[in-house]
Amino acid sequence: MTEFDLSIPGYRIERLLAKGGMANVYLAHHLDMDREVAIKAFHLNAANARFTERFLAEARMLGSLHHINIISIYDMGVLDNGGLYITMEYVQGGDLEKLQKEGLAENQALNVLIEMAFALQFLHNNNMIHCDIKPANILFRRDGTLILTDFGIAKRFQHTDQERSPITEGSPDYCSPEQAQGLPLDQRTDIYSLGVVFLKMLTGKNPYRGPTVRDSLMNHLQMDIPVLTGKQARYQPLLNNMLAKSTNERFSSMRECLDMLDELLIADSDVPTLSEQSA
């Protein structure tokens, strides 16, 4: 699908925003609602039954979610040529990956951690996991609100019937040890990935990232949890519980993560607690 052959009734296509291996993203204007939207148009079409099933599952799942920190899905459908598309909120504030390159203050890192933790808590409470938490999937609205996006491999989970996950899914730089091994996943995989994101925000680097995909995966399986120094050392207990290799030693929920963070902030008079930050 090229920039010029996309046509959807009720939308005026403005320009191509991004090209990807699976889909292109366009800026469009919804004529009836008079608002800008992003349209994710997939290269594969409805003739591919497996892809269509995953596409429909993603669209239905996202459309059912309503949270300030999760991207809004407006519409989905099949094009005249059999192509599949989703229309969603157009977010213009850039992503965390770009912001990290410009440099992050500690209070900004805390804000990202807190807002994403609440988004994931909502997601997990709805029996869903994201499976691909990374800076490029954390966007900013113009008012600074953070948005979790790109649920292309998100899946529902059940405590008694968990699916196995191919190691090719998700980002190898941020995947959990169990995801690296293709083991069954639950909400703790997102907690681990968010822990890696937080670590990179604090230190400016992702120590798990290796020169190859295999190296990155092995680092998640074998590398010791990095030791923070200076003022950042106050977050060591939090990271130890987020980045534990064994799921049984990790936080079992985002609520536990937020509770420990609040305890750490209460103990540090220089940093406002969660209640103070939300006031």
Side-chain angles (χ1 to χ4, degrees):
M1 183 172 293
T2 69
E3 181 177 0
F4 306 104
D5 64 4
L6 179 66
S7 177
I8 302 176
Y11 295 91
R12 182 177 67 246
I13 309 302
E14 302 287 354
R15 59 186 172 91
L16 179 68
L17 294 174
K19 286 186 176 182
M22 182 170 285
N24 291 345
V25 180
Y26 298 83
L27 173 65
H29 192 87
H30 191 291
L31 300 178
D32 290 339
M33 299 299 294
D34 191 25
R35 66 182 175 193
E36 289 184 318
V37 300
I39 298 180
K40 187 175 183 180
F42 293 81
H43 303 315
L44 299 180
N45 59 46
N48 186 314
R50 181 177 181 275
F51 179 83
T52 300
E53 181 181 356
R54 293 190 63 175
F55 168 85
L56 294 174
E58 174 186 358
R60 292 192 189 101
M61 178 179 64
L62 286 175
S64 69
L65 301 178
H66 302 284
H67 189 277
I68 190 172
N69 299 119
I70 293 177
I71 198 163
S72 297
I73 298 299
Y74 302 136
D75 192 16
M76 58 176 283
V78 181
L79 303 170
D80 290 340
N81 64 1
L84 304 167
Y85 73 90
I86 298 175
T87 66
M88 64 190 78
E89 175 182 4
Y90 176 44
V91 183
Q92 304 180 58
D95 61 31
L96 180 59
E97 190 170 47
K98 178 181 177 181
L99 184 61
Q100 284 179 325
K101 293 177 181 178
E102 300 171 355
L104 275 175
E106 183 178 313
N107 66 324
Q108 290 177 299
L110 280 172
N111 183 63
V112 172
L113 174 63
I114 292 166
E115 290 198 38
M116 287 300 97
F118 279 121
L120 288 172
Q121 181 183 31
F122 173 82
L123 195 69
H124 298 162
N125 287 345
N126 281 276
N127 290 332
M128 301 174 190
I129 52 178
H130 188 280
C131 301
D132 197 16
I133 303 298
K134 60 183 179 181
N137 287 341
I138 299 173
L139 309 181
F140 293 85
R141 291 195 181 102
R142 282 182 169 176
D143 65 0
T145 305
L146 282 96
I147 301 295
L148 183 59
T149 188
D150 202 350
F151 290 69
I153 61 169
K155 58 187 69 177
R156 294 182 181 272
F157 72 89
Q158 300 292 335
H159 295 290
T160 57
D161 185 24
Q162 298 159 321
E163 296 182 33
R164 299 183 71 85
S165 175
I167 61 174
T168 53
E169 294 191 333
S171 170
D173 294 344
Y174 295 90
C175 73
S176 65
E178 60 270 24
Q179 192 171 15
Q181 297 176 87
L183 298 175
L185 303 179
D186 61 20
Q187 68 269 29
R188 291 170 291 187
T189 190
D190 287 341
I191 294 173
Y192 181 93
S193 297
L194 184 59
V196 181
V197 171
F198 186 50
L199 175 64
K200 184 178 180 182
M201 289 191 293
L202 289 177
T203 65
K205 62 180 181 180
N206 179 355
Y208 297 102
R209 182 176 186 179
T212 68
V213 169
R214 177 178 173 80
D215 289 328
S216 296
L217 297 176
M218 292 306 296
N219 285 341
H220 288 296
L221 292 171
Q222 299 177 352
M223 182 181 289
D224 291 338
I225 298 172
V227 178
L228 300 176
T229 60
K231 286 188 175 181
Q232 293 181 349
R234 57 192 166 197
Y235 301 115
Q236 192 69 53
L238 183 75
L239 282 176
N240 288 345
N241 281 276
M242 296 184 78
L243 297 177
K245 303 296 184 188
S246 169
T247 55
N248 293 330
E249 297 176 1
R250 211 176 297 158
F251 289 126
S252 64
S253 69
M254 288 310 316
R255 183 68 263 168
E256 289 185 3
C257 177
L258 287 165
D259 286 344
M260 174 175 279
L261 178 59
D262 210 22
E263 291 175 5
L264 296 175
L265 297 182
I266 289 173
D268 188 341
S269 59
D270 294 334
V271 182
T273 64
L274 299 186
S275 59
E276 290 170 337
Q277 291 185 43
S278 62

PDB file of all heavy atoms in Angstrom, residues 37-65:
ATOM      1  N   VAL A  37      -7.193  12.218  12.719  1.00  0.00           N
ATOM      2  CA  VAL A  37      -7.004  10.870  13.251  1.00  0.00           C
ATOM      3  C   VAL A  37      -5.782  10.254  12.592  1.00  0.00           C
ATOM      4  O   VAL A  37      -5.305  10.738  11.549  1.00  0.00           O
ATOM      5  CB  VAL A  37      -8.231   9.968  12.990  1.00  0.00           C
ATOM      6  CG1 VAL A  37      -9.474  10.531  13.646  1.00  0.00           C
ATOM      7  CG2 VAL A  37      -8.446   9.770  11.489  1.00  0.00           C
ATOM      8  N   ALA A  38      -5.260   9.219  13.205  1.00  0.00           N
ATOM      9  CA  ALA A  38      -4.212   8.415  12.586  1.00  0.00           C
ATOM     10  C   ALA A  38      -4.852   7.129  12.076  1.00  0.00           C
ATOM     11  O   ALA A  38      -5.657   6.513  12.775  1.00  0.00           O
ATOM     12  CB  ALA A  38      -3.114   8.109  13.589  1.00  0.00           C
ATOM     13  N   ILE A  39      -4.517   6.747  10.858  1.00  0.00           N
ATOM     14  CA  ILE A  39      -5.032   5.508  10.282  1.00  0.00           C
ATOM     15  C   ILE A  39      -3.875   4.540  10.080  1.00  0.00           C
ATOM     16  O   ILE A  39      -2.896   4.852   9.398  1.00  0.00           O
ATOM     17  CB  ILE A  39      -5.746   5.756   8.941  1.00  0.00           C
ATOM     18  CG1 ILE A  39      -6.948   6.670   9.144  1.00  0.00           C
ATOM     19  CG2 ILE A  39      -6.179   4.429   8.315  1.00  0.00           C
ATOM     20  CD1 ILE A  39      -7.715   6.961   7.865  1.00  0.00           C
ATOM     21  N   LYS A  40      -3.982   3.387  10.703  1.00  0.00           N
ATOM     22  CA  LYS A  40      -2.980   2.329  10.546  1.00  0.00           C
ATOM     23  C   LYS A  40      -3.502   1.366   9.494  1.00  0.00           C
ATOM     24  O   LYS A  40      -4.487   0.648   9.717  1.00  0.00           O
ATOM     25  CB  LYS A  40      -2.767   1.622  11.883  1.00  0.00           C
ATOM     26  CG  LYS A  40      -1.630   0.607  11.895  1.00  0.00           C
ATOM     27  CD  LYS A  40      -1.438   0.066  13.315  1.00  0.00           C
ATOM     28  CE  LYS A  40      -0.275  -0.901  13.406  1.00  0.00           C
ATOM     29  NZ  LYS A  40      -0.098  -1.424  14.801  1.00  0.00           N
ATOM     30  N   ALA A  41      -2.901   1.389   8.309  1.00  0.00           N
ATOM     31  CA  ALA A  41      -3.352   0.558   7.190  1.00  0.00           C
ATOM     32  C   ALA A  41      -2.363  -0.584   6.982  1.00  0.00           C
ATOM     33  O   ALA A  41      -1.175  -0.349   6.727  1.00  0.00           O
ATOM     34  CB  ALA A  41      -3.464   1.409   5.927  1.00  0.00           C
ATOM     35  N   PHE A  42      -2.847  -1.803   7.081  1.00  0.00           N
ATOM     36  CA  PHE A  42      -1.984  -2.980   7.042  1.00  0.00           C
ATOM     37  C   PHE A  42      -1.721  -3.432   5.614  1.00  0.00           C
ATOM     38  O   PHE A  42      -2.590  -3.342   4.745  1.00  0.00           O
ATOM     39  CB  PHE A  42      -2.621  -4.124   7.844  1.00  0.00           C
ATOM     40  CG  PHE A  42      -2.684  -3.840   9.320  1.00  0.00           C
ATOM     41  CD1 PHE A  42      -3.696  -3.056   9.852  1.00  0.00           C
ATOM     42  CD2 PHE A  42      -1.714  -4.336  10.175  1.00  0.00           C
ATOM     43  CE1 PHE A  42      -3.741  -2.775  11.211  1.00  0.00           C
ATOM     44  CE2 PHE A  42      -1.753  -4.064  11.533  1.00  0.00           C
ATOM     45  CZ  PHE A  42      -2.774  -3.283  12.051  1.00  0.00           C
ATOM     46  N   HIS A  43      -0.499  -3.943   5.382  1.00  0.00           N
ATOM     47  CA  HIS A  43      -0.126  -4.409   4.056  1.00  0.00           C
ATOM     48  C   HIS A  43      -0.843  -5.708   3.707  1.00  0.00           C
ATOM     49  O   HIS A  43      -1.227  -5.916   2.556  1.00  0.00           O
ATOM     50  CB  HIS A  43       1.390  -4.634   3.989  1.00  0.00           C
ATOM     51  CG  HIS A  43       2.185  -3.417   4.329  1.00  0.00           C
ATOM     52  ND1 HIS A  43       1.880  -2.169   3.828  1.00  0.00           N
ATOM     53  CD2 HIS A  43       3.274  -3.248   5.135  1.00  0.00           C
ATOM     54  CE1 HIS A  43       2.753  -1.284   4.288  1.00  0.00           C
ATOM     55  NE2 HIS A  43       3.598  -1.910   5.094  1.00  0.00           N
ATOM     56  N   LEU A  44      -1.013  -6.599   4.692  1.00  0.00           N
ATOM     57  CA  LEU A  44      -1.744  -7.837   4.448  1.00  0.00           C
ATOM     58  C   LEU A  44      -3.235  -7.543   4.433  1.00  0.00           C
ATOM     59  O   LEU A  44      -3.689  -6.509   4.916  1.00  0.00           O
ATOM     60  CB  LEU A  44      -1.408  -8.870   5.527  1.00  0.00           C
ATOM     61  CG  LEU A  44       0.073  -9.281   5.610  1.00  0.00           C
ATOM     62  CD1 LEU A  44       0.271 -10.293   6.721  1.00  0.00           C
ATOM     63  CD2 LEU A  44       0.549  -9.854   4.280  1.00  0.00           C
ATOM     64  N   ASN A  45      -4.015  -8.448   3.883  1.00  0.00           N
ATOM     65  CA  ASN A  45      -5.449  -8.175   3.768  1.00  0.00           C
ATOM     66  C   ASN A  45      -6.285  -9.324   4.309  1.00  0.00           C
ATOM     67  O   ASN A  45      -5.775 -10.296   4.849  1.00  0.00           O
ATOM     68  CB  ASN A  45      -5.824  -7.863   2.310  1.00  0.00           C
ATOM     69  CG  ASN A  45      -5.479  -9.011   1.377  1.00  0.00           C
ATOM     70  OD1 ASN A  45      -5.762 -10.166   1.663  1.00  0.00           O
ATOM     71  ND2 ASN A  45      -4.859  -8.682   0.254  1.00  0.00           N
ATOM     72  N   ALA A  46      -7.590  -9.167   4.160  1.00  0.00           N
ATOM     73  CA  ALA A  46      -8.539 -10.097   4.765  1.00  0.00           C
ATOM     74  C   ALA A  46      -8.424 -11.512   4.212  1.00  0.00           C
ATOM     75  O   ALA A  46      -8.980 -12.444   4.788  1.00  0.00           O
ATOM     76  CB  ALA A  46      -9.969  -9.572   4.560  1.00  0.00           C
ATOM     77  N   ALA A  47      -7.694 -11.710   3.110  1.00  0.00           N
ATOM     78  CA  ALA A  47      -7.523 -13.048   2.571  1.00  0.00           C
ATOM     79  C   ALA A  47      -6.597 -13.891   3.444  1.00  0.00           C
ATOM     80  O   ALA A  47      -6.606 -15.119   3.367  1.00  0.00           O
ATOM     81  CB  ALA A  47      -6.957 -12.966   1.147  1.00  0.00           C
ATOM     82  N   ASN A  48      -5.804 -13.227   4.275  1.00  0.00           N
ATOM     83  CA  ASN A  48      -4.914 -13.935   5.196  1.00  0.00           C
ATOM     84  C   ASN A  48      -5.671 -14.138   6.503  1.00  0.00           C
ATOM     85  O   ASN A  48      -5.776 -13.231   7.323  1.00  0.00           O
ATOM     86  CB  ASN A  48      -3.638 -13.116   5.421  1.00  0.00           C
ATOM     87  CG  ASN A  48      -2.601 -13.846   6.257  1.00  0.00           C
ATOM     88  OD1 ASN A  48      -2.931 -14.427   7.297  1.00  0.00           O
ATOM     89  ND2 ASN A  48      -1.359 -13.812   5.821  1.00  0.00           N
ATOM     90  N   ALA A  49      -6.212 -15.317   6.688  1.00  0.00           N
ATOM     91  CA  ALA A  49      -7.111 -15.571   7.810  1.00  0.00           C
ATOM     92  C   ALA A  49      -6.411 -15.383   9.154  1.00  0.00           C
ATOM     93  O   ALA A  49      -6.998 -14.823  10.085  1.00  0.00           O
ATOM     94  CB  ALA A  49      -7.688 -16.994   7.704  1.00  0.00           C
ATOM     95  N   ARG A  50      -5.161 -15.848   9.284  1.00  0.00           N
ATOM     96  CA  ARG A  50      -4.461 -15.745  10.567  1.00  0.00           C
ATOM     97  C   ARG A  50      -4.215 -14.281  10.932  1.00  0.00           C
ATOM     98  O   ARG A  50      -4.438 -13.866  12.072  1.00  0.00           O
ATOM     99  CB  ARG A  50      -3.134 -16.502  10.510  1.00  0.00           C
ATOM    100  CG  ARG A  50      -2.361 -16.455  11.830  1.00  0.00           C
ATOM    101  CD  ARG A  50      -1.071 -17.284  11.744  1.00  0.00           C
ATOM    102  NE  ARG A  50      -0.358 -17.253  13.011  1.00  0.00           N
ATOM    103  CZ  ARG A  50       0.485 -16.294  13.354  1.00  0.00           C
ATOM    104  NH1 ARG A  50       0.708 -15.295  12.526  1.00  0.00           N
ATOM    105  NH2 ARG A  50       1.106 -16.329  14.526  1.00  0.00           N
ATOM    106  N   PHE A  51      -3.761 -13.501   9.957  1.00  0.00           N
ATOM    107  CA  PHE A  51      -3.520 -12.094  10.228  1.00  0.00           C
ATOM    108  C   PHE A  51      -4.822 -11.366  10.546  1.00  0.00           C
ATOM    109  O   PHE A  51      -4.888 -10.542  11.449  1.00  0.00           O
ATOM    110  CB  PHE A  51      -2.839 -11.428   9.033  1.00  0.00           C
ATOM    111  CG  PHE A  51      -2.574  -9.970   9.239  1.00  0.00           C
ATOM    112  CD1 PHE A  51      -1.448  -9.560   9.938  1.00  0.00           C
ATOM    113  CD2 PHE A  51      -3.461  -9.012   8.770  1.00  0.00           C
ATOM    114  CE1 PHE A  51      -1.205  -8.217  10.150  1.00  0.00           C
ATOM    115  CE2 PHE A  51      -3.216  -7.668   8.980  1.00  0.00           C
ATOM    116  CZ  PHE A  51      -2.087  -7.264   9.669  1.00  0.00           C
ATOM    117  N   THR A  52      -5.878 -11.679   9.785  1.00  0.00           N
ATOM    118  CA  THR A  52      -7.164 -11.025  10.013  1.00  0.00           C
ATOM    119  C   THR A  52      -7.674 -11.311  11.419  1.00  0.00           C
ATOM    120  O   THR A  52      -8.209 -10.425  12.092  1.00  0.00           O
ATOM    121  CB  THR A  52      -8.201 -11.500   8.975  1.00  0.00           C
ATOM    122  OG1 THR A  52      -7.726 -11.172   7.671  1.00  0.00           O
ATOM    123  CG2 THR A  52      -9.542 -10.833   9.212  1.00  0.00           C
ATOM    124  N   GLU A  53      -7.498 -12.546  11.884  1.00  0.00           N
ATOM    125  CA  GLU A  53      -7.937 -12.904  13.228  1.00  0.00           C
ATOM    126  C   GLU A  53      -7.208 -12.072  14.272  1.00  0.00           C
ATOM    127  O   GLU A  53      -7.815 -11.556  15.217  1.00  0.00           O
ATOM    128  CB  GLU A  53      -7.684 -14.398  13.465  1.00  0.00           C
ATOM    129  CG  GLU A  53      -8.118 -14.889  14.837  1.00  0.00           C
ATOM    130  CD  GLU A  53      -7.835 -16.368  15.036  1.00  0.00           C
ATOM    131  OE1 GLU A  53      -7.378 -17.024  14.081  1.00  0.00           O
ATOM    132  OE2 GLU A  53      -8.043 -16.865  16.161  1.00  0.00           O
ATOM    133  N   ARG A  54      -5.899 -11.915  14.118  1.00  0.00           N
ATOM    134  CA  ARG A  54      -5.119 -11.123  15.057  1.00  0.00           C
ATOM    135  C   ARG A  54      -5.492  -9.646  14.954  1.00  0.00           C
ATOM    136  O   ARG A  54      -5.574  -8.935  15.959  1.00  0.00           O
ATOM    137  CB  ARG A  54      -3.620 -11.304  14.792  1.00  0.00           C
ATOM    138  CG  ARG A  54      -3.130 -12.700  15.097  1.00  0.00           C
ATOM    139  CD  ARG A  54      -1.622 -12.783  15.062  1.00  0.00           C
ATOM    140  NE  ARG A  54      -1.025 -11.931  16.091  1.00  0.00           N
ATOM    141  CZ  ARG A  54       0.268 -11.884  16.343  1.00  0.00           C
ATOM    142  NH1 ARG A  54       1.107 -12.619  15.625  1.00  0.00           N
ATOM    143  NH2 ARG A  54       0.740 -11.109  17.286  1.00  0.00           N
ATOM    144  N   PHE A  55      -5.717  -9.181  13.738  1.00  0.00           N
ATOM    145  CA  PHE A  55      -6.112  -7.796  13.537  1.00  0.00           C
ATOM    146  C   PHE A  55      -7.427  -7.488  14.239  1.00  0.00           C
ATOM    147  O   PHE A  55      -7.559  -6.498  14.961  1.00  0.00           O
ATOM    148  CB  PHE A  55      -6.242  -7.522  12.038  1.00  0.00           C
ATOM    149  CG  PHE A  55      -6.921  -6.212  11.705  1.00  0.00           C
ATOM    150  CD1 PHE A  55      -6.195  -5.038  11.665  1.00  0.00           C
ATOM    151  CD2 PHE A  55      -8.283  -6.165  11.435  1.00  0.00           C
ATOM    152  CE1 PHE A  55      -6.813  -3.830  11.358  1.00  0.00           C
ATOM    153  CE2 PHE A  55      -8.908  -4.973  11.139  1.00  0.00           C
ATOM    154  CZ  PHE A  55      -8.166  -3.805  11.099  1.00  0.00           C
ATOM    155  N   LEU A  56      -8.423  -8.335  14.028  1.00  0.00           N
ATOM    156  CA  LEU A  56      -9.731  -8.116  14.636  1.00  0.00           C
ATOM    157  C   LEU A  56      -9.657  -8.202  16.155  1.00  0.00           C
ATOM    158  O   LEU A  56     -10.308  -7.429  16.869  1.00  0.00           O
ATOM    159  CB  LEU A  56     -10.736  -9.134  14.090  1.00  0.00           C
ATOM    160  CG  LEU A  56     -11.058  -9.005  12.597  1.00  0.00           C
ATOM    161  CD1 LEU A  56     -11.945 -10.163  12.143  1.00  0.00           C
ATOM    162  CD2 LEU A  56     -11.733  -7.671  12.299  1.00  0.00           C
ATOM    163  N   ALA A  57      -8.851  -9.130  16.663  1.00  0.00           N
ATOM    164  CA  ALA A  57      -8.692  -9.260  18.115  1.00  0.00           C
ATOM    165  C   ALA A  57      -8.060  -8.004  18.698  1.00  0.00           C
ATOM    166  O   ALA A  57      -8.489  -7.496  19.737  1.00  0.00           O
ATOM    167  CB  ALA A  57      -7.837 -10.480  18.439  1.00  0.00           C
ATOM    168  N   GLU A  58      -7.036  -7.473  18.019  1.00  0.00           N
ATOM    169  CA  GLU A  58      -6.379  -6.255  18.490  1.00  0.00           C
ATOM    170  C   GLU A  58      -7.346  -5.085  18.484  1.00  0.00           C
ATOM    171  O   GLU A  58      -7.447  -4.327  19.454  1.00  0.00           O
ATOM    172  CB  GLU A  58      -5.180  -5.926  17.599  1.00  0.00           C
ATOM    173  CG  GLU A  58      -4.525  -4.588  17.934  1.00  0.00           C
ATOM    174  CD  GLU A  58      -3.433  -4.207  16.943  1.00  0.00           C
ATOM    175  OE1 GLU A  58      -3.155  -4.989  16.013  1.00  0.00           O
ATOM    176  OE2 GLU A  58      -2.873  -3.118  17.104  1.00  0.00           O
ATOM    177  N   ALA A  59      -8.090  -4.939  17.387  1.00  0.00           N
ATOM    178  CA  ALA A  59      -9.002  -3.805  17.259  1.00  0.00           C
ATOM    179  C   ALA A  59     -10.124  -3.862  18.296  1.00  0.00           C
ATOM    180  O   ALA A  59     -10.457  -2.856  18.919  1.00  0.00           O
ATOM    181  CB  ALA A  59      -9.589  -3.774  15.851  1.00  0.00           C
ATOM    182  N   ARG A  60     -10.708  -5.031  18.478  1.00  0.00           N
ATOM    183  CA  ARG A  60     -11.795  -5.162  19.456  1.00  0.00           C
ATOM    184  C   ARG A  60     -11.278  -4.902  20.874  1.00  0.00           C
ATOM    185  O   ARG A  60     -11.945  -4.255  21.681  1.00  0.00           O
ATOM    186  CB  ARG A  60     -12.411  -6.558  19.380  1.00  0.00           C
ATOM    187  CG  ARG A  60     -13.177  -6.832  18.091  1.00  0.00           C
ATOM    188  CD  ARG A  60     -13.989  -8.105  18.199  1.00  0.00           C
ATOM    189  NE  ARG A  60     -14.562  -8.482  16.918  1.00  0.00           N
ATOM    190  CZ  ARG A  60     -14.066  -9.429  16.125  1.00  0.00           C
ATOM    191  NH1 ARG A  60     -12.984 -10.097  16.505  1.00  0.00           N
ATOM    192  NH2 ARG A  60     -14.616  -9.722  14.979  1.00  0.00           N
ATOM    193  N   MET A  61     -10.097  -5.448  21.157  1.00  0.00           N
ATOM    194  CA  MET A  61      -9.520  -5.280  22.479  1.00  0.00           C
ATOM    195  C   MET A  61      -9.261  -3.802  22.762  1.00  0.00           C
ATOM    196  O   MET A  61      -9.644  -3.271  23.806  1.00  0.00           O
ATOM    197  CB  MET A  61      -8.215  -6.067  22.594  1.00  0.00           C
ATOM    198  CG  MET A  61      -7.502  -5.906  23.932  1.00  0.00           C
ATOM    199  SD  MET A  61      -5.988  -6.887  24.000  1.00  0.00           S
ATOM    200  CE  MET A  61      -5.040  -6.094  22.701  1.00  0.00           C
ATOM    201  N   LEU A  62      -8.616  -3.135  21.820  1.00  0.00           N
ATOM    202  CA  LEU A  62      -8.301  -1.729  22.021  1.00  0.00           C
ATOM    203  C   LEU A  62      -9.554  -0.872  22.090  1.00  0.00           C
ATOM    204  O   LEU A  62      -9.637   0.074  22.873  1.00  0.00           O
ATOM    205  CB  LEU A  62      -7.405  -1.231  20.893  1.00  0.00           C
ATOM    206  CG  LEU A  62      -5.957  -1.703  20.952  1.00  0.00           C
ATOM    207  CD1 LEU A  62      -5.202  -1.255  19.709  1.00  0.00           C
ATOM    208  CD2 LEU A  62      -5.271  -1.183  22.184  1.00  0.00           C
ATOM    209  N   GLY A  63     -10.535  -1.188  21.263  1.00  0.00           N
ATOM    210  CA  GLY A  63     -11.761  -0.410  21.259  1.00  0.00           C
ATOM    211  C   GLY A  63     -12.538  -0.500  22.558  1.00  0.00           C
ATOM    212  O   GLY A  63     -13.341   0.381  22.868  1.00  0.00           O
ATOM    213  N   SER A  64     -12.289  -1.553  23.317  1.00  0.00           N
ATOM    214  CA  SER A  64     -13.007  -1.730  24.586  1.00  0.00           C
ATOM    215  C   SER A  64     -12.335  -1.011  25.750  1.00  0.00           C
ATOM    216  O   SER A  64     -12.885  -0.961  26.849  1.00  0.00           O
ATOM    217  CB  SER A  64     -13.122  -3.228  24.916  1.00  0.00           C
ATOM    218  OG  SER A  64     -11.858  -3.770  25.249  1.00  0.00           O
ATOM    219  N   LEU A  65     -11.139  -0.478  25.524  1.00  0.00           N
ATOM    220  CA  LEU A  65     -10.381   0.162  26.596  1.00  0.00           C
ATOM    221  C   LEU A  65     -10.615   1.665  26.621  1.00  0.00           C
ATOM    222  O   LEU A  65     -10.547   2.321  25.585  1.00  0.00           O
ATOM    223  CB  LEU A  65      -8.878  -0.116  26.429  1.00  0.00           C
ATOM    224  CG  LEU A  65      -8.450  -1.574  26.425  1.00  0.00           C
ATOM    225  CD1 LEU A  65      -6.957  -1.678  26.199  1.00  0.00           C
ATOM    226  CD2 LEU A  65      -8.832  -2.258  27.727  1.00  0.00           C
TER     227      LEU A  65
END
